[in-house]
Amino acid sequence: MPGTHAGRSERSSRHAGRVDRPSPWPWLVPVAALVAGALFASSVRASDGEELRTGYTRLPDLIREQTRVNADRAEKVDTLRAQVEDATAALAPGDLTTQRLERQAAEIATAAGRTEVRGPALRVTLTDAPLPGGEVPEGGDPDDYVIHQQDIEAVVNALWAGGAEAMMVQDQRIISTSAVRCVGNTLILQGRVYSPPYTVTAIGNLETMRSRLQQDRAVDLIRQYAIAFGLGYDLEDAGTQTLPAYAGSITPTVAEVDTS
């Protein structure tokens, strides 16, 4: 094909020899410097002159500080409550109505968790699965390797159903209206934050509570996950324990009237 060879010859003659192309660096360097300067200025404005990650790095410290504040306030509430009770008793020592109400309050104080309880106890300890290197196995679901809110609730509910007279989660006495909440792998209970392992201690009839734990389907699921994924589930006889009185408020903030 003569035409084709002629064309290739022309292009070859035009492009023969070394072609000197101008280097792009003289104009790329100033542009890169301008872009970097703009990004730096944007970062300074966004952080208002402070470290961008400050909020994230300080979060654990803020949680610990708030936990200390809550503990201090709970102690003050206990002191004030005791002062109110002493003042009430001193104001009307001979009033029959007051005495009757005080007797009624004393009768229901145990059920309301307002008294210290001592007796034989069971303790259930729940903990996350140990992970080599802190990494979830390839293809695994991270949720399978940690204790969740529903796991703690399952143990608590089973123990109540088994006739527990008093119960404590971690170092706090709880009652039937206590709320157990988990955020990530931490437990939030009555204003305090805890990390695993989680302990649930209950006073009552040991055989009845143990039997209920054995029969409960939700608790059995925890035991299955303990076998499959290495979660910690440990049930032990805790001997004779003394559980402190419940320190929180028992005044309901939400109520629903049965209209049936």
Side-chain angles (χ1 to χ4, degrees):
M1 299 177 63
T4 300
H5 288 289
R8 290 184 63 178
S9 176
E10 283 183 16
R11 286 195 295 272
S12 299
S13 64
R14 285 199 302 268
H15 293 279
R18 178 175 177 176
V19 178
D20 293 327
R21 295 184 177 87
S23 172
W25 290 111
W27 59 270
L28 280 178
V29 171
V31 171
L34 287 173
V35 172
L39 291 175
F40 177 76
S42 299
S43 298
V44 171
R45 286 195 298 270
S47 64
D48 196 20
E50 298 178 356
E51 185 183 351
L52 287 174
R53 297 178 181 269
T54 299
Y56 294 102
T57 57
R58 292 190 59 226
L59 185 57
D61 293 333
L62 292 174
I63 292 175
R64 283 191 288 269
E65 177 62 26
Q66 190 58 48
T67 298
R68 287 193 293 269
V69 170
N70 291 340
D72 291 341
R73 289 176 178 173
E75 185 176 347
K76 291 178 181 178
V77 167
D78 290 341
T79 301
L80 292 173
R81 184 180 292 116
Q83 293 176 2
V84 169
E85 292 173 353
D86 292 342
T88 301
L91 285 173
D95 186 276
L96 295 179
T97 301
T98 301
Q99 292 179 7
R100 178 174 55 83
L101 291 175
E102 288 178 347
R103 285 196 300 269
Q104 292 176 352
E107 291 172 357
I108 64 174
T110 300
R114 287 302 193 189
T115 59
E116 183 181 90
V117 177
R118 181 176 176 81
L122 285 182
R123 179 174 292 128
V124 177
T125 302
L126 303 172
T127 189
D128 296 345
L131 297 175
E135 297 292 334
V136 175
E138 185 176 355
D141 186 342
D143 285 342
D144 293 335
Y145 296 86
V146 296
I147 294 296
H148 294 280
Q149 175 177 319
Q150 63 265 28
D151 300 324
I152 303 173
E153 289 176 336
V155 171
V156 168
N157 290 337
L159 289 169
W160 283 133
E165 300 171 13
M167 198 179 309
M168 187 164 66
V169 174
Q170 300 298 86
D171 59 350
Q172 292 195 70
R173 176 80 175 273
I174 65 170
I175 58 176
S176 58
T177 56
S178 297
V180 176
R181 294 187 177 90
C182 285
V183 177
N185 64 338
T186 60
L187 166 67
I188 300 177
L189 179 62
Q190 292 162 183
R192 302 183 193 177
V193 181
Y194 301 93
S195 298
Y198 305 121
T199 59
V200 183
T201 306
I203 289 177
N205 185 293
L206 302 185
E207 291 305 318
T208 304
M209 293 191 296
R210 193 186 299 272
S211 176
R212 187 68 189 191
L213 286 170
Q214 190 65 32
Q215 297 171 8
D216 190 274
R217 291 185 178 180
V219 177
D220 184 58
L221 186 60
I222 302 174
R223 289 191 291 265
Q224 293 180 29
Y225 269 62
I227 296 173
F229 299 100
L231 291 178
Y233 174 87
D234 181 58
L235 172 62
E236 62 178 332
D237 186 337
T240 300
Q241 294 288 320
T242 300
L243 304 189
Y246 174 69
S249 172
I250 59 174
T251 303
T253 55
V254 178
E256 183 175 327
V257 178
D258 186 0
T259 57
S260 59

